[in-house]
Amino acid sequence: MLGSTALSATAVVLLLVLFYGGTMFMSSRIAKRKENADSFMTAGHKIGFGISAASMTATWIWASSMYASVNSGYLYGISGPIHYGFWGALMILFIYPFGKRIRKVAPQAHTLAEVMFARHGRSSQFMLAGSNILGSVISLTSNFIAGGALISMLSPFSFIQGVIVIAAGVLLYTLWSGFRASVLTDFAQVLAMLGAVIIIVPSMFFFLGGVELFTTGAQNLTPQQQSFFSSDAFLNQGAPYIAAVLAYAIGNQTIAQRLFAVREDLIRPTFITATIGYGATIIGIGMVGVLALYAGIDPVDGDPNNVLPQVAAEYLPGVLVAVFFIMIIGSLSSTADSDLSAMSSIAMSDLYGQGMRGRGKVPNPRVMLIVGRITMVLATVAALFFANIRFNILDLLVFVGALWGALVFPVIASFYWKKVTNSAFTVSVLVALAVFLPTRFGLIPDSGVLAYAVEALAVVGVGVVLGLMVFGFLGLRPALVVAVIAALGSAPFILGFLRDYDTLTASLVAYAVSTIVCVAMSYRSSMDYDFDQIALATADYDTDEVAQELADADAQNKAENNNDDDDDVVRV
């Protein structure tokens, strides 16, 4: 427990009952006596602007992002939160042109893996579905750990008690109506988070010393930490985050699910609003780390991740600690319920739905709902297990991040280029992953030909990342021009230098290798894919036509059983 203003057991219980009781009430109000499978996964593809923008913002803001922004501010100074929040926000903006294309070719899809199955086949679907299940379990575990740590630091309750309460609260309200419950509660949660940030950051500034803090605490900062253009912040925080967040945005089902849920004509304003909301919130809360740096605060146990709750507990009055508590609980819950909804949709559509269609059978929407809810329960149990043993999730995060980074170009190319084949998609991802892992874990020598070869791939990766960003808005030719200029312009700064930054180098290498292999294999192919086929293969499951097909099949089975009974009578 930190400081004299930490919350009492009664206060924590009341706050948790207020928060999760409120979300449970909201979820129960939208529950249907006869739930619809498509609504459970994507809310019928017709969510309005306000709800969708709030849900996108809330999903992008999770507890770890708040802690990480504060950590960045404490480590890198003024430009730390800006690099963390600005590039993360910009990635939301860069998603929307690709999102418009994805919705155009697959207007009634439920998961990105489902679309890749229609476009390519089982292997590409497996890569996206598998990486998302693993990534969502890791994210869920991370949020449970953050919640348990918060409760144990600010109250008499233990870490395990906190984890169990958070897990139970999120599961109960999400289980009712799936994705619809997630997006509706996101609206309330994002309002709570934004309101809390508006109150918390100025309050911390005041209690830490106000304007005088910048004069009295300047000696606590290095020249790099005082600079808005810190190279340390860019190379260690900004640049790796640009590549990582683009990979997360394109490959992650929690984002794709909102893309498939929002009304198609509202994609652009939704993503623009979420860009502004995320950037303002994360940069704002990250300034707490800068204030703590000026104040000369030493993190508990020497861990900068403890700075945010530490400053809140030691410097804020009890009422504002309660506001801070709700802010963090809201941020982690909004992402945790998104993870549960994402995994349930993958199980419902990719495992059960596509499996039934692949065998020529009609998926039963009632069975799909059962599959989705069971998946939520199993995912929660798995995340509880990993959180309970303090499972080290960093290695798995590296693997999932690599897989998503390697998937970015093949996925995007599959929606625009008719020549991309299933083998080009699969091989490019596997080869990129094989090159990424030794690079990320420092197994490549720091000198010699191999080191320069890896850096040369990183140069290509710079061109790929910037080229993809431009391609979404301006098309192929401007993208190629920017990619070539970016690669040539960055080469003198990368060759012989970037090998000291394994995270950034590995991310760029993953982009480069997957792009090179995918282009090389697809360019020679004779495929001329018809994108209209995707819409036909990704239709809704819970429709009147499906209900009629199921009724006809049931009637046919009954008739066949009756005929069998008549045959038995004749034989007797």
Side-chain angles (χ1 to χ4, degrees), residues 23-44:
T23 52
M24 185 68 182
F25 174 76
M26 294 174 64
S27 181
S28 65
R29 295 291 293 175
I30 64 170
K32 298 180 179 179
R33 184 179 63 83
K34 187 177 180 181
E35 188 64 76
N36 181 284
D38 297 304
S39 293
F40 195 87
M41 290 188 283
T42 55

Side-chain angles (χ1 to χ4, degrees), residues 395-553:
D395 291 343
L396 287 177
L397 279 173
V398 168
F399 176 77
V400 174
L403 189 54
W404 283 339
L407 283 164
V408 171
F409 181 86
V411 167
I412 292 176
S414 296
F415 286 101
Y416 293 89
W417 195 11
K418 296 181 178 182
K419 294 171 69 68
V420 179
T421 64
N422 183 46
S423 58
F425 186 105
T426 304
V427 172
S428 64
V429 173
L430 294 177
V431 174
L433 187 61
V435 178
F436 169 90
L437 291 174
T439 305
R440 174 60 183 84
F441 291 110
L443 301 179
I444 304 296
D446 291 333
S447 60
V449 176
L450 194 56
Y452 278 104
V454 169
E455 286 179 333
L457 288 173
V459 169
V460 176
V462 171
V464 170
V465 171
L466 296 181
L468 286 175
M469 292 178 181
V470 174
F471 172 73
F473 289 96
L474 301 179
L476 181 59
R477 287 188 178 180
L480 291 175
V481 171
V482 169
V484 171
I485 293 174
L488 294 177
S490 64
F493 303 97
I494 288 178
L495 298 175
F497 171 75
L498 199 64
R499 63 193 64 178
D500 294 329
Y501 299 89
D502 290 338
T503 302
L504 175 56
T505 303
S507 297
L508 294 174
V509 165
Y511 279 95
V513 173
S514 63
T515 301
I516 293 171
V517 175
C518 186
V519 169
M521 294 184 65
S522 299
Y523 186 78
R524 300 177 59 186
S525 78
S526 59
M527 175 173 281
D528 187 24
Y529 185 77
D530 180 8
F531 287 105
D532 292 338
Q533 297 299 314
I534 294 179
L536 299 176
T538 56
D540 282 339
Y541 292 95
D542 207 339
T543 63
D544 293 338
E545 291 79 4
V546 170
Q548 186 61 52
E549 287 186 55
L550 289 170
D552 292 344

Side-chain angles (χ1 to χ4, degrees), residues 228-546:
F228 277 101
F229 305 100
S230 168
S231 59
D232 284 346
F234 177 75
L235 290 171
N236 289 288
Q237 179 65 73
Y241 201 52
I242 296 172
V245 176
L246 181 60
Y248 184 92
I250 296 299
N252 191 276
Q253 170 61 16
T254 61
I255 304 301
Q257 195 166 17
R258 279 147 185 81
L259 172 64
F260 292 128
V262 64
R263 271 174 40 195
E264 194 169 348
D265 60 314
L266 296 176
I267 291 176
R268 179 177 179 178
T270 293
F271 279 83
I272 291 175
T273 304
T275 297
I276 298 170
Y278 174 87
T281 303
I282 293 302
I283 293 174
I285 198 67
M287 290 302 165
V288 173
V290 180
L291 295 175
L293 185 62
Y294 270 98
I297 295 173
D298 293 323
V300 173
D301 300 326
D303 185 359
N305 287 312
N306 292 327
V307 168
L308 183 58
Q310 178 182 348
V311 172
E314 292 184 355
Y315 291 92
L316 294 180
V319 173
L320 291 183
V321 173
V323 173
F324 168 79
F325 183 84
I326 290 295
M327 177 183 73
I328 300 300
I329 294 298
S331 66
L332 66 89
S333 297
S334 65
T335 305
D337 62 34
S338 298
D339 288 322
L340 289 177
S341 298
M343 285 186 280
S344 68
S345 294
I346 290 172
M348 293 167 70
S349 181
D350 293 298
L351 299 183
Y352 173 75
Q354 291 294 332
M356 292 291 288
R357 284 176 172 174
R359 295 195 296 271
K361 298 182 179 180
V362 182
N364 190 324
R366 305 281 77 78
V367 176
M368 294 185 78
L369 289 168
I370 296 173
V371 170
R373 290 186 168 117
I374 290 175
T375 301
M376 288 185 178
V377 174
L378 293 177
T380 302
V381 172
L384 277 173
F385 172 75
F386 293 139
N388 183 40
I389 62 175
R390 303 293 184 102
F391 192 81
N392 186 350
I393 64 175
L394 292 179
D395 291 343
L396 287 177
L397 279 173
V398 168
F399 176 77
V400 174
L403 189 54
W404 283 339
L407 283 164
V408 171
F409 181 86
V411 167
I412 292 176
S414 296
F415 286 101
Y416 293 89
W417 195 11
K418 296 181 178 182
K419 294 171 69 68
V420 179
T421 64
N422 183 46
S423 58
F425 186 105
T426 304
V427 172
S428 64
V429 173
L430 294 177
V431 174
L433 187 61
V435 178
F436 169 90
L437 291 174
T439 305
R440 174 60 183 84
F441 291 110
L443 301 179
I444 304 296
D446 291 333
S447 60
V449 176
L450 194 56
Y452 278 104
V454 169
E455 286 179 333
L457 288 173
V459 169
V460 176
V462 171
V464 170
V465 171
L466 296 181
L468 286 175
M469 292 178 181
V470 174
F471 172 73
F473 289 96
L474 301 179
L476 181 59
R477 287 188 178 180
L480 291 175
V481 171
V482 169
V484 171
I485 293 174
L488 294 177
S490 64
F493 303 97
I494 288 178
L495 298 175
F497 171 75
L498 199 64
R499 63 193 64 178
D500 294 329
Y501 299 89
D502 290 338
T503 302
L504 175 56
T505 303
S507 297
L508 294 174
V509 165
Y511 279 95
V513 173
S514 63
T515 301
I516 293 171
V517 175
C518 186
V519 169
M521 294 184 65
S522 299
Y523 186 78
R524 300 177 59 186
S525 78
S526 59
M527 175 173 281
D528 187 24
Y529 185 77
D530 180 8
F531 287 105
D532 292 338
Q533 297 299 314
I534 294 179
L536 299 176
T538 56
D540 282 339
Y541 292 95
D542 207 339
T543 63
D544 293 338
E545 291 79 4
V546 170

Side-chain angles (χ1 to χ4, degrees), residues 94-123:
F94 281 118
I95 300 169
Y96 101 76
F98 299 119
K100 290 179 65 177
R101 172 63 180 174
I102 293 171
R103 277 298 296 274
K104 182 180 179 180
V105 301
Q108 293 182 312
H110 308 85
T111 72
L112 200 57
E114 175 188 10
V115 181
M116 285 297 102
F117 175 73
R119 175 68 175 87
H120 290 303
R122 188 66 67 186
S123 61

